[in-house]
Amino acid sequence: MKQIQPIQIWVNGSLQTATVFNLIIINDNLLNSATFYWQLLDSAESKLADGNLTMGEPTYDQWGTATDANQWAYEWAATELNITLA
């Protein structure tokens, strides 16, 4: 899990503030594609939004050569979702 710059999300009729980003790899074919499950959570770690992201070529190769693959994946996913890591 990573802290993010707070963002407002409309959830069940009210604005909630997401401050935590969680990313879990759910599939990796070990060749050219990986799928991640992401969550945006509030400060109590309650889920406000979630979904899946798929990483393909050439991004998959860049991820595979990263010094810190976990941090790289978080940064990639945050960019895809237009959120900012804190």
Side-chain angles (χ1 to χ4, degrees), residues 21 23-25 33-38 52-60 62-63 66 68-83 85:
F21 177 40
L23 188 66
I24 301 167
I25 190 165
S33 178
T35 302
F36 297 84
Y37 172 68
W38 60 267
N52 294 318
L53 288 172
T54 299
M55 177 191 294
E57 294 290 357
T59 308
Y60 185 87
Q62 296 167 357
W63 175 48
D68 184 341
N70 289 341
Q71 181 66 28
W72 196 97
Y74 267 102
E75 290 171 3
W76 167 79
T79 299
E80 292 292 304
L81 296 170
N82 198 30
I83 58 177
L85 299 177

Side-chain angles (χ1 to χ4, degrees), residues 11-56:
V11 180
N12 296 326
S14 66
L15 280 176
Q16 303 292 319
T17 303
T19 58
V20 178
F21 177 40
N22 191 33
L23 188 66
I24 301 167
I25 190 165
I26 57 173
N27 185 45
D28 185 347
N29 71 0
L30 302 176
L31 178 64
N32 60 7
S33 178
T35 302
F36 297 84
Y37 172 68
W38 60 267
Q39 299 172 310
L40 293 178
L41 312 171
D42 65 14
S43 60
E45 297 185 3
S46 296
K47 181 177 66 176
L48 303 177
D50 65 341
N52 294 318
L53 288 172
T54 299
M55 177 191 294

